[in-house]
Amino acid sequence: MTAITFDTLKFANTLKAAGVSPAQAEAEAVALSEVLEVNLKDLATKEDLRMELRNLEQRMESKIEKVSSDLKVDLMKWMTGALIAQAALIATLVKLL
């Protein structure tokens, strides 16, 4: 997480230059600084999102590999069963003919 900097002195001086009383300008600067600190401390950065996307991609790849291997096993079972059934059918037909 990157920290967001906020220049409270510059903000207060800008308010003072606009005609706001010094006490009120300083109070607004402190209040805004606290709001930014509380509300933006958990803000996700682009790097945070990139890391999460990489993690998601890795998890998806591992799930896809597992499903793929499961499908291969199931396909081998079906093919073996079909081969045995075909052999039994051929043997039965040879005996009958």
Side-chain angles (χ1 to χ4, degrees):
M1 282 275 169
T2 59
I4 297 175
T5 57
F6 177 68
D7 188 352
T8 55
L9 179 60
K10 183 178 179 183
F11 182 72
N13 288 338
T14 303
L15 290 176
K16 289 176 195 175
V20 177
S21 70
Q24 183 178 354
E26 291 171 9
E28 286 185 28
V30 169
L32 184 57
S33 175
E34 290 173 359
V35 166
L36 290 174
E37 181 181 334
V38 169
N39 291 327
L40 299 180
K41 70 179 178 184
D42 293 329
L43 186 66
T45 63
K46 286 181 183 179
E47 186 57 32
D48 294 332
L49 294 175
R50 284 186 191 109
M51 282 179 28
E52 189 60 31
L53 183 59
R54 271 185 249 129
N55 290 340
L56 257 164
E57 287 172 346
Q58 289 172 349
R59 287 174 41 203
M60 284 178 57
E61 286 173 4
S62 70
K63 296 280 185 187
I64 288 170
E65 288 174 10
K66 183 181 182 318
V67 167
S68 177
S69 68
D70 288 349
L71 285 175
K72 286 178 185 175
V73 168
D74 288 345
L75 183 60
M76 290 300 292
K77 287 179 183 177
W78 277 99
M79 291 301 292
T80 303
L83 182 63
I84 291 171
Q86 183 181 14
L89 180 63
I90 292 172
T92 304
L93 288 174
V94 166
K95 285 185 181 180
L96 288 176
L97 296 176

Coordinates of all heavy atoms in Angstrom, one line a residue:
M1 N 0.8 -1.2 0.0 CA 0.0 0.0 0.0 C 0.9 1.2 0.0 O 1.8 1.3 0.8 CB -0.8 0.1 1.3 CG -2.0 -0.8 1.4 SD -3.5 -0.2 0.8 CE -4.4 -1.7 1.0
T2 N 0.5 2.2 -0.8 CA 1.2 3.4 -0.8 C 0.5 4.4 0.0 O -0.7 4.4 0.1 CB 1.4 4.0 -2.3 OG1 0.1 4.2 -2.8 CG2 2.2 3.1 -3.1
A3 N 1.3 5.3 0.7 CA 0.6 6.3 1.6 C 0.3 7.5 0.7 O 1.0 7.9 -0.2 CB 1.6 6.7 2.7
I4 N -0.9 8.1 1.1 CA -1.3 9.3 0.4 C -0.9 10.5 1.3 O -1.3 10.5 2.4 CB -2.8 9.3 0.2 CG1 -3.2 8.1 -0.8 CG2 -3.3 10.6 -0.4 CD1 -4.6 7.9 -1.0
T5 N -0.1 11.4 0.7 CA 0.3 12.5 1.5 C -0.6 13.7 1.3 O -1.2 13.9 0.3 CB 1.7 13.0 1.0 OG1 1.7 13.3 -0.4 CG2 2.8 11.9 1.3
F6 N -0.8 14.4 2.4 CA -1.7 15.5 2.4 C -1.1 16.6 3.2 O -0.7 16.5 4.4 CB -3.1 15.1 3.1 CG -4.0 16.3 3.2 CD1 -4.6 16.9 2.1 CD2 -4.4 16.8 4.5 CE1 -5.5 17.9 2.2 CE2 -5.2 17.8 4.6 CZ -5.8 18.4 3.4
D7 N -0.8 17.7 2.6 CA -0.1 18.9 3.2 C -1.1 19.7 3.9 O -1.8 20.6 3.3 CB 0.6 19.7 2.1 CG 1.5 20.8 2.7 OD1 1.5 21.0 3.9 OD2 2.3 21.4 1.9
T8 N -1.3 19.5 5.2 CA -2.3 20.2 6.0 C -1.9 21.7 6.1 O -2.8 22.6 6.1 CB -2.4 19.6 7.4 OG1 -1.1 19.6 8.1 CG2 -2.9 18.2 7.4
L9 N -0.6 22.1 6.2 CA -0.2 23.5 6.3 C -0.6 24.2 5.1 O -1.2 25.3 5.1 CB 1.3 23.6 6.6 CG 1.8 25.0 6.7 CD1 1.2 25.7 7.8 CD2 3.4 24.9 6.8
K10 N -0.3 23.6 3.9 CA -0.7 24.3 2.6 C -2.2 24.4 2.5 O -2.7 25.5 2.1 CB -0.1 23.5 1.5 CG -0.4 24.1 0.1 CD 0.2 23.3 -1.0 CE 0.0 23.9 -2.4 NZ 0.5 23.1 -3.5
F11 N -2.9 23.4 2.9 CA -4.4 23.5 2.9 C -4.9 24.6 3.8 O -5.8 25.4 3.4 CB -5.0 22.1 3.3 CG -6.5 22.0 3.2 CD1 -7.1 22.0 2.0 CD2 -7.2 22.0 4.3 CE1 -8.5 22.0 1.9 CE2 -8.6 21.9 4.3 CZ -9.3 21.9 3.1
A12 N -4.4 24.6 5.0 CA -4.8 25.7 6.0 C -4.5 27.1 5.5 O -5.3 28.0 5.6 CB -4.2 25.4 7.3
N13 N -3.3 27.2 4.9 CA -2.9 28.5 4.4 C -3.8 28.9 3.2 O -4.1 30.1 3.0 CB -1.4 28.5 4.0 CG -0.5 28.5 5.2 OD1 -0.9 28.9 6.3 ND2 0.7 28.0 5.0
T14 N -4.1 28.0 2.4 CA -5.0 28.3 1.2 C -6.4 28.8 1.7 O -7.0 29.7 1.2 CB -5.2 27.0 0.3 OG1 -4.0 26.6 -0.1 CG2 -6.1 27.3 -0.8
L15 N -6.9 28.1 2.8 CA -8.2 28.5 3.4 C -8.0 29.9 4.0 O -8.9 30.8 3.9 CB -8.6 27.5 4.4 CG -9.1 26.2 3.9 CD1 -9.5 25.2 5.0 CD2 -10.3 26.3 3.0
K16 N -6.9 30.2 4.7 CA -6.7 31.5 5.3 C -6.7 32.6 4.2 O -7.2 33.7 4.4 CB -5.4 31.5 6.1 CG -5.5 30.7 7.4 CD -4.1 30.6 8.1 CE -4.0 29.6 9.1 NZ -2.7 29.5 9.7
A17 N -6.0 32.3 3.1 CA -5.9 33.3 2.0 C -7.2 33.5 1.4 O -7.5 34.6 0.8 CB -4.9 32.7 1.0
A18 N -8.1 32.6 1.5 CA -9.5 32.8 0.9 C -10.4 33.5 1.9 O -11.6 33.7 1.6 CB -10.1 31.4 0.6
G19 N -9.9 33.8 3.1 CA -10.7 34.6 4.0 C -11.3 33.8 5.2 O -12.0 34.3 6.0
V20 N -10.9 32.5 5.3 CA -11.4 31.7 6.4 C -10.5 32.0 7.7 O -9.3 32.3 7.5 CB -11.3 30.2 6.1 CG1 -11.7 29.3 7.3 CG2 -12.1 29.9 4.9
S21 N -11.1 32.0 8.8 CA -10.4 32.4 10.1 C -9.3 31.3 10.3 O -9.4 30.1 9.9 CB -11.3 32.4 11.3 OG -11.7 31.1 11.6
P22 N -8.2 31.7 10.9 CA -7.0 30.8 11.1 C -7.4 29.6 11.9 O -7.0 28.4 11.6 CB -6.0 31.6 11.8 CG -6.3 33.0 11.4 CD -7.8 33.1 11.2
A23 N -8.2 29.7 12.9 CA -8.6 28.6 13.8 C -9.5 27.6 13.0 O -9.3 26.4 13.1 CB -9.4 29.1 15.0
Q24 N -10.4 28.2 12.2 CA -11.3 27.3 11.4 C -10.5 26.6 10.3 O -10.7 25.4 10.0 CB -12.4 28.1 10.8 CG -13.4 27.2 10.0 CD -14.6 28.0 9.5 OE1 -14.8 29.1 9.7 NE2 -15.4 27.3 8.7
A25 N -9.5 27.3 9.7 CA -8.7 26.7 8.6 C -7.9 25.6 9.1 O -7.8 24.5 8.5 CB -7.8 27.8 8.0
E26 N -7.3 25.8 10.3 CA -6.5 24.7 10.9 C -7.3 23.5 11.3 O -6.9 22.3 11.1 CB -5.7 25.2 12.1 CG -4.6 26.2 11.6 CD -4.0 27.0 12.8 OE1 -4.2 26.6 14.0 OE2 -3.2 27.9 12.6
A27 N -8.5 23.8 11.8 CA -9.4 22.7 12.2 C -9.9 21.9 11.0 O -9.9 20.7 11.1 CB -10.6 23.3 13.0
E28 N -10.2 22.6 9.9 CA -10.6 21.9 8.7 C -9.5 21.0 8.1 O -9.7 19.9 7.7 CB -11.1 22.9 7.7 CG -12.5 23.4 8.0 CD -13.0 24.3 6.9 OE1 -12.6 24.1 5.7 OE2 -13.8 25.3 7.2
A29 N -8.3 21.6 8.2 CA -7.1 20.8 7.7 C -6.9 19.5 8.5 O -6.6 18.5 7.9 CB -5.9 21.7 7.7
V30 N -7.0 19.6 9.8 CA -6.8 18.5 10.7 C -8.0 17.5 10.4 O -7.7 16.3 10.3 CB -6.8 18.9 12.2 CG1 -6.9 17.7 13.1 CG2 -5.5 19.7 12.5
A31 N -9.2 18.0 10.3 CA -10.3 17.1 10.1 C -10.2 16.4 8.8 O -10.4 15.1 8.7 CB -11.6 17.9 10.2
L32 N -9.8 17.1 7.7 CA -9.7 16.5 6.4 C -8.6 15.5 6.4 O -8.7 14.4 5.8 CB -9.5 17.5 5.3 CG -9.4 17.0 3.9 CD1 -10.7 16.2 3.5 CD2 -9.2 18.2 2.9
S33 N -7.5 15.8 7.1 CA -6.4 14.8 7.2 C -6.8 13.5 7.9 O -6.4 12.4 7.4 CB -5.2 15.5 8.0 OG -4.2 14.6 8.2
E34 N -7.6 13.6 8.9 CA -8.0 12.4 9.6 C -9.0 11.6 8.8 O -8.9 10.4 8.7 CB -8.7 12.8 11.0 CG -7.8 13.3 12.0 CD -8.5 13.9 13.2 OE1 -9.7 13.9 13.3 OE2 -7.8 14.3 14.2
V35 N -9.9 12.3 8.0 CA -10.8 11.6 7.2 C -10.0 10.8 6.1 O -10.3 9.7 5.8 CB -11.8 12.6 6.5 CG1 -12.5 12.0 5.3 CG2 -12.8 13.1 7.6
L36 N -9.1 11.5 5.5 CA -8.3 10.8 4.4 C -7.5 9.6 5.0 O -7.4 8.6 4.4 CB -7.3 11.8 3.8 CG -7.9 12.9 2.9 CD1 -6.9 13.9 2.5 CD2 -8.7 12.3 1.7
E37 N -7.0 9.8 6.2 CA -6.2 8.7 6.8 C -7.1 7.5 7.1 O -6.7 6.4 6.8 CB -5.6 9.2 8.1 CG -4.7 8.1 8.8 CD -4.1 8.7 10.1 OE1 -3.9 9.9 10.2 OE2 -3.8 7.8 11.0
V38 N -8.3 7.8 7.6 CA -9.2 6.7 8.0 C -9.8 6.0 6.7 O -9.8 4.8 6.6 CB -10.3 7.2 8.9 CG1 -11.4 6.1 9.1 CG2 -9.8 7.6 10.3
N39 N -10.3 6.8 5.8 CA -11.0 6.3 4.7 C -10.1 5.8 3.5 O -10.6 5.0 2.7 CB -12.0 7.3 4.1 CG -13.1 7.6 5.1 OD1 -13.5 6.7 5.8 ND2 -13.6 8.8 5.2
L40 N -8.9 6.2 3.4 CA -8.1 5.8 2.3 C -6.9 4.8 2.7 O -6.2 4.4 1.8 CB -7.4 7.1 1.7 CG -8.4 8.1 1.1 CD1 -7.7 9.2 0.5 CD2 -9.3 7.4 0.1
K41 N -6.9 4.5 4.0 CA -5.8 3.6 4.4 C -5.9 2.2 3.8 O -5.0 1.5 3.5 CB -5.6 3.5 5.9 CG -6.8 2.8 6.6 CD -6.5 2.7 8.1 CE -7.7 2.0 8.7 NZ -7.6 2.1 10.2
D42 N -7.2 1.7 3.5 CA -7.4 0.4 2.9 C -7.7 0.5 1.4 O -8.1 -0.5 0.8 CB -8.6 -0.3 3.6 CG -8.3 -0.6 5.1 OD1 -7.1 -0.9 5.3 OD2 -9.2 -0.6 5.9
L43 N -7.4 1.6 0.8 CA -7.6 1.7 -0.6 C -6.6 0.8 -1.4 O -5.4 0.8 -1.1 CB -7.4 3.2 -1.0 CG -7.7 3.6 -2.5 CD1 -9.2 3.4 -2.7 CD2 -7.3 5.0 -2.7
A44 N -7.1 0.1 -2.3 CA -6.3 -0.8 -3.1 C -5.6 -0.1 -4.2 O -6.2 0.8 -4.9 CB -7.2 -1.9 -3.7
T45 N -4.3 -0.4 -4.3 CA -3.5 0.3 -5.4 C -3.5 -0.6 -6.6 O -4.0 -1.8 -6.6 CB -2.1 0.5 -4.9 OG1 -1.5 -0.8 -4.7 CG2 -2.0 1.3 -3.7
K46 N -3.0 -0.1 -7.7 CA -2.9 -0.9 -8.9 C -2.0 -2.2 -8.7 O -2.4 -3.2 -9.2 CB -2.3 -0.1 -10.1 CG -3.2 0.9 -10.6 CD -2.5 1.7 -11.8 CE -3.4 2.8 -12.3 NZ -2.8 3.5 -13.4
E47 N -1.0 -2.0 -7.9 CA -0.1 -3.2 -7.6 C -0.9 -4.2 -6.8 O -0.7 -5.4 -7.0 CB 1.2 -2.7 -6.9 CG 2.1 -3.9 -6.7 CD 2.6 -4.6 -8.0 OE1 2.6 -3.9 -9.0 OE2 2.8 -5.8 -7.9
D48 N -1.7 -3.8 -5.8 CA -2.5 -4.7 -5.1 C -3.4 -5.5 -6.0 O -3.6 -6.7 -5.8 CB -3.4 -4.0 -4.0 CG -2.6 -3.3 -2.9 OD1 -1.5 -3.8 -2.6 OD2 -3.0 -2.3 -2.4
L49 N -4.1 -4.8 -6.9 CA -5.0 -5.5 -7.9 C -4.2 -6.4 -8.8 O -4.7 -7.5 -9.1 CB -5.7 -4.4 -8.7 CG -6.7 -3.5 -7.9 CD1 -7.3 -2.4 -8.8 CD2 -7.8 -4.3 -7.3
R50 N -3.0 -6.0 -9.2 CA -2.2 -6.9 -10.0 C -1.8 -8.2 -9.3 O -1.9 -9.3 -9.8 CB -0.9 -6.2 -10.5 CG -1.2 -5.2 -11.6 CD 0.1 -4.6 -12.1 NE -0.1 -3.5 -13.0 CZ 0.1 -2.2 -12.7 NH1 0.7 -1.9 -11.6 NH2 -0.2 -1.3 -13.6
M51 N -1.4 -8.1 -8.0 CA -1.1 -9.2 -7.2 C -2.3 -10.1 -7.1 O -2.2 -11.4 -7.2 CB -0.6 -8.8 -5.8 CG 0.9 -8.3 -5.9 SD 1.5 -7.7 -4.3 CE 0.6 -8.7 -3.1
E52 N -3.4 -9.6 -6.8 CA -4.7 -10.4 -6.6 C -5.0 -11.1 -7.9 O -5.4 -12.2 -7.9 CB -5.8 -9.5 -6.1 CG -7.0 -10.3 -5.7 CD -6.8 -11.2 -4.5 OE1 -5.9 -11.0 -3.7 OE2 -7.5 -12.3 -4.5
L53 N -4.9 -10.4 -9.0 CA -5.2 -11.0 -10.3 C -4.2 -12.1 -10.6 O -4.7 -13.2 -11.1 CB -5.0 -9.9 -11.4 CG -5.4 -10.4 -12.8 CD1 -6.8 -10.9 -12.9 CD2 -5.2 -9.2 -13.8
R54 N -2.9 -12.0 -10.3 CA -2.0 -13.1 -10.4 C -2.4 -14.3 -9.6 O -2.3 -15.4 -10.0 CB -0.5 -12.6 -10.1 CG 0.2 -12.0 -11.3 CD 1.6 -11.7 -10.9 NE 1.7 -10.2 -10.9 CZ 2.2 -9.4 -10.0 NH1 2.7 -10.0 -8.9 NH2 2.1 -8.1 -10.1
N55 N -2.7 -14.0 -8.3 CA -3.2 -15.1 -7.4 C -4.4 -15.8 -8.0 O -4.4 -17.1 -8.0 CB -3.5 -14.6 -6.0 CG -2.2 -14.1 -5.3 OD1 -1.1 -14.5 -5.6 ND2 -2.4 -13.3 -4.3
L56 N -5.3 -15.1 -8.5 CA -6.5 -15.7 -9.1 C -6.2 -16.5 -10.3 O -6.7 -17.6 -10.5 CB -7.5 -14.5 -9.5 CG -8.7 -14.3 -8.6 CD1 -9.3 -13.0 -8.9 CD2 -9.7 -15.4 -8.7
E57 N -5.3 -16.0 -11.1 CA -4.9 -16.7 -12.3 C -4.2 -18.0 -12.0 O -4.5 -19.1 -12.6 CB -4.0 -15.9 -13.2 CG -4.7 -14.8 -13.9 CD -3.7 -13.8 -14.6 OE1 -2.5 -13.8 -14.3 OE2 -4.2 -13.0 -15.5
Q58 N -3.4 -18.0 -11.0 CA -2.7 -19.2 -10.5 C -3.7 -20.2 -10.0 O -3.6 -21.4 -10.3 CB -1.6 -18.9 -9.5 CG -0.4 -18.2 -10.0 CD 0.5 -17.7 -8.9 OE1 0.2 -17.8 -7.7 NE2 1.7 -17.2 -9.3
R59 N -4.7 -19.8 -9.2 CA -5.7 -20.7 -8.6 C -6.5 -21.3 -9.8 O -6.8 -22.5 -9.7 CB -6.6 -19.9 -7.6 CG -5.8 -19.6 -6.3 CD -6.6 -18.8 -5.4 NE -8.0 -19.1 -5.3 CZ -8.9 -18.2 -4.8 NH1 -8.6 -17.0 -4.5 NH2 -10.2 -18.6 -4.8
M60 N -6.9 -20.4 -10.7 CA -7.7 -20.9 -11.9 C -6.9 -22.0 -12.7 O -7.5 -23.0 -13.1 CB -8.1 -19.8 -12.8 CG -9.2 -19.0 -12.2 SD -9.7 -17.6 -13.3 CE -10.1 -18.4 -14.8
E61 N -5.6 -21.7 -12.9 CA -4.8 -22.7 -13.7 C -4.7 -24.0 -12.9 O -4.8 -25.1 -13.6 CB -3.4 -22.1 -13.9 CG -3.3 -21.0 -14.9 CD -2.0 -20.4 -15.0 OE1 -1.0 -20.8 -14.3 OE2 -1.9 -19.4 -15.8
S62 N -4.5 -24.0 -11.6 CA -4.5 -25.2 -10.9 C -5.8 -26.0 -10.9 O -5.8 -27.2 -11.0 CB -4.0 -25.0 -9.4 OG -5.0 -24.4 -8.7
K63 N -6.9 -25.3 -10.8 CA -8.2 -25.9 -10.9 C -8.4 -26.5 -12.3 O -9.0 -27.6 -12.4 CB -9.3 -24.9 -10.6 CG -9.4 -24.3 -9.3 CD -10.0 -25.2 -8.3 CE -10.1 -24.5 -6.9 NZ -10.5 -25.4 -5.9
I64 N -8.0 -25.8 -13.3 CA -8.2 -26.3 -14.7 C -7.4 -27.5 -14.9 O -7.8 -28.5 -15.5 CB -7.8 -25.2 -15.7 CG1 -8.9 -24.1 -15.7 CG2 -7.6 -25.7 -17.1 CD1 -8.5 -22.8 -16.5
E65 N -6.1 -27.5 -14.4 CA -5.3 -28.7 -14.5 C -5.9 -29.9 -13.8 O -5.9 -31.0 -14.3 CB -3.9 -28.4 -13.9 CG -3.1 -27.5 -14.7 CD -1.8 -27.1 -14.1 OE1 -1.4 -27.7 -13.0 OE2 -1.1 -26.2 -14.6
K66 N -6.5 -29.7 -12.6 CA -7.2 -30.8 -11.9 C -8.4 -31.3 -12.7 O -8.5 -32.5 -12.8 CB -7.6 -30.3 -10.5 CG -8.2 -31.4 -9.7 CD -8.7 -30.9 -8.3 CE -9.3 -32.0 -7.4 NZ -10.1 -32.9 -8.0
V67 N -9.2 -30.4 -13.2 CA -10.4 -30.8 -14.0 C -9.9 -31.6 -15.2 O -10.5 -32.6 -15.6 CB -11.2 -29.6 -14.3 CG1 -12.3 -30.0 -15.4 CG2 -11.9 -29.1 -13.1
S68 N -8.9 -31.1 -15.8 CA -8.4 -31.8 -17.0 C -7.9 -33.2 -16.7 O -8.2 -34.1 -17.4 CB -7.2 -30.9 -17.6 OG -6.7 -31.6 -18.7
S69 N -7.1 -33.3 -15.6 CA -6.6 -34.7 -15.3 C -7.8 -35.6 -14.9 O -7.8 -36.8 -15.2 CB -5.6 -34.6 -14.1 OG -6.2 -34.2 -12.9
D70 N -8.8 -35.0 -14.2 CA -10.0 -35.8 -13.8 C -10.7 -36.3 -15.1 O -11.2 -37.4 -15.2 CB -10.9 -35.0 -12.9 CG -10.4 -34.8 -11.5 OD1 -9.4 -35.5 -11.2 OD2 -11.0 -34.0 -10.8
L71 N -10.8 -35.4 -16.1 CA -11.5 -35.8 -17.3 C -10.7 -36.9 -18.1 O -11.3 -37.8 -18.6 CB -11.6 -34.5 -18.2 CG -12.7 -33.5 -17.8 CD1 -12.7 -32.3 -18.7 CD2 -14.1 -34.2 -17.9
K72 N -9.4 -36.8 -18.0 CA -8.6 -37.8 -18.7 C -8.8 -39.1 -18.0 O -8.9 -40.2 -18.7 CB -7.1 -37.4 -18.6 CG -6.7 -36.3 -19.6 CD -5.3 -35.9 -19.4 CE -4.9 -34.7 -20.3 NZ -3.5 -34.3 -20.1
V73 N -8.8 -39.2 -16.7 CA -9.1 -40.4 -16.0 C -10.5 -41.0 -16.3 O -10.6 -42.2 -16.6 CB -8.9 -40.2 -14.5 CG1 -9.4 -41.4 -13.7 CG2 -7.5 -39.9 -14.1
D74 N -11.5 -40.1 -16.3 CA -12.8 -40.6 -16.7 C -12.9 -41.1 -18.1 O -13.5 -42.1 -18.4 CB -13.8 -39.4 -16.5 CG -14.1 -39.1 -15.0 OD1 -13.7 -40.0 -14.2 OD2 -14.7 -38.1 -14.7
L75 N -12.2 -40.4 -19.0 CA -12.2 -40.8 -20.4 C -11.5 -42.2 -20.6 O -12.0 -43.0 -21.3 CB -11.5 -39.8 -21.3 CG -11.4 -40.0 -22.8 CD1 -12.9 -40.1 -23.3 CD2 -10.7 -39.0 -23.5
M76 N -10.4 -42.4 -19.8 CA -9.7 -43.7 -19.9 C -10.6 -44.8 -19.4 O -10.7 -45.9 -19.9 CB -8.4 -43.6 -19.1 CG -7.3 -42.8 -19.7 SD -6.9 -43.4 -21.4 CE -6.1 -44.9 -21.0
K77 N -11.4 -44.5 -18.3 CA -12.3 -45.5 -17.7 C -13.4 -45.9 -18.8 O -13.7 -47.1 -19.0 CB -13.0 -45.0 -16.5 CG -12.1 -44.9 -15.3 CD -12.8 -44.4 -14.1 CE -11.9 -44.2 -12.9 NZ -12.6 -43.6 -11.7
W78 N -14.0 -44.9 -19.4 CA -15.0 -45.1 -20.4 C -14.4 -45.9 -21.6 O -15.1 -46.8 -22.1 CB -15.6 -43.8 -20.9 CG -16.7 -43.4 -20.0 CD1 -16.6 -42.4 -19.0 CD2 -18.0 -43.8 -19.9 NE1 -17.8 -42.2 -18.3 CE2 -18.7 -43.1 -18.9 CE3 -18.8 -44.8 -20.7 CZ2 -20.0 -43.3 -18.6 CZ3 -20.1 -44.9 -20.3 CH2 -20.7 -44.2 -19.3
M79 N -13.2 -45.5 -22.1 CA -12.6 -46.2 -23.2 C -12.3 -47.6 -22.9 O -12.5 -48.5 -23.7 CB -11.4 -45.4 -23.7 CG -11.6 -44.1 -24.3 SD -12.7 -44.1 -25.7 CE -11.6 -45.0 -26.9
T80 N -11.8 -47.9 -21.7 CA -11.5 -49.3 -21.3 C -12.8 -50.1 -21.2 O -12.8 -51.2 -21.7 CB -10.8 -49.3 -19.9 OG1 -9.6 -48.5 -20.0 CG2 -10.4 -50.7 -19.4
G81 N -13.8 -49.5 -20.6 CA -15.1 -50.2 -20.5 C -15.7 -50.5 -21.9 O -16.2 -51.6 -22.2
A82 N -15.6 -49.5 -22.8 CA -16.0 -49.7 -24.2 C -15.2 -50.8 -24.9 O -15.8 -51.6 -25.6 CB -16.0 -48.4 -25.0
L83 N -13.9 -50.8 -24.7 CA -13.1 -51.8 -25.3 C -13.4 -53.2 -24.8 O -13.5 -54.2 -25.6 CB -11.6 -51.5 -25.0 CG -10.6 -52.4 -25.6 CD1 -10.6 -52.4 -27.1 CD2 -9.2 -52.1 -25.1
I84 N -13.6 -53.4 -23.5 CA -14.0 -54.7 -22.9 C -15.4 -55.1 -23.5 O -15.6 -56.3 -23.9 CB -14.0 -54.6 -21.4 CG1 -12.6 -54.4 -20.9 CG2 -14.7 -55.8 -20.8 CD1 -12.5 -54.1 -19.4
A85 N -16.3 -54.2 -23.5 CA -17.7 -54.5 -24.1 C -17.6 -54.9 -25.5 O -18.2 -55.9 -25.9 CB -18.6 -53.3 -23.9
Q86 N -16.7 -54.2 -26.3 CA -16.6 -54.6 -27.7 C -16.0 -55.9 -27.9 O -16.4 -56.7 -28.7 CB -15.7 -53.5 -28.4 CG -15.5 -53.7 -29.9 CD -14.6 -52.7 -30.5 OE1 -14.0 -51.9 -29.8 NE2 -14.7 -52.6 -31.8
A87 N -15.0 -56.2 -27.0 CA -14.3 -57.6 -27.1 C -15.3 -58.7 -26.7 O -15.4 -59.7 -27.4 CB -13.1 -57.6 -26.2
A88 N -16.1 -58.4 -25.7 CA -17.2 -59.4 -25.3 C -18.2 -59.6 -26.4 O -18.6 -60.7 -26.7 CB -17.8 -58.9 -24.0
L89 N -18.6 -58.5 -27.1 CA -19.5 -58.6 -28.2 C -19.0 -59.4 -29.3 O -19.6 -60.3 -29.9 CB -19.9 -57.2 -28.6 CG -21.0 -57.1 -29.7 CD1 -22.3 -57.7 -29.3 CD2 -21.1 -55.7 -30.2
I90 N -17.7 -59.1 -29.7 CA -17.1 -59.8 -30.8 C -16.9 -61.3 -30.4 O -17.2 -62.2 -31.3 CB -15.7 -59.2 -31.1 CG1 -15.9 -57.8 -31.7 CG2 -14.9 -60.1 -32.0 CD1 -14.7 -57.0 -31.9
A91 N -16.5 -61.6 -29.2 CA -16.4 -63.0 -28.8 C -17.8 -63.7 -28.9 O -17.8 -64.9 -29.3 CB -15.8 -63.1 -27.4
T92 N -18.8 -63.1 -28.4 CA -20.2 -63.7 -28.5 C -20.6 -63.9 -29.9 O -21.1 -64.9 -30.3 CB -21.2 -62.7 -27.8 OG1 -20.7 -62.5 -26.4 CG2 -22.5 -63.3 -27.8
L93 N -20.3 -62.9 -30.8 CA -20.7 -63.1 -32.2 C -19.9 -64.2 -32.9 O -20.5 -64.9 -33.7 CB -20.5 -61.7 -32.9 CG -21.5 -60.6 -32.6 CD1 -21.1 -59.3 -33.3 CD2 -22.9 -61.0 -33.0
V94 N -18.7 -64.3 -32.5 CA -17.8 -65.4 -33.1 C -18.4 -66.8 -32.7 O -18.5 -67.7 -33.5 CB -16.4 -65.2 -32.7 CG1 -15.6 -66.5 -33.0 CG2 -15.8 -64.0 -33.4
K95 N -18.8 -66.9 -31.5 CA -19.4 -68.2 -31.0 C -20.7 -68.5 -31.7 O -21.0 -69.6 -31.9 CB -19.5 -68.2 -29.5 CG -18.2 -68.3 -28.7 CD -18.5 -68.4 -27.2 CE -17.2 -68.6 -26.5 NZ -17.4 -68.7 -25.1
L96 N -21.5 -67.4 -31.9 CA -22.8 -67.7 -32.5 C -22.7 -68.0 -34.0 O -23.5 -68.7 -34.5 CB -23.7 -66.4 -32.3 CG -24.2 -66.2 -30.9 CD1 -25.0 -64.9 -30.8 CD2 -25.0 -67.3 -30.4
L97 N -21.7 -67.5 -34.6 CA -21.6 -67.7 -36.1 C -20.8 -68.9 -36.3 O -20.7 -69.8 -36.8 CB -20.9 -66.5 -36.8 CG -21.7 -65.2 -36.7 CD1 -20.9 -64.1 -37.3 CD2 -23.1 -65.4 -37.4

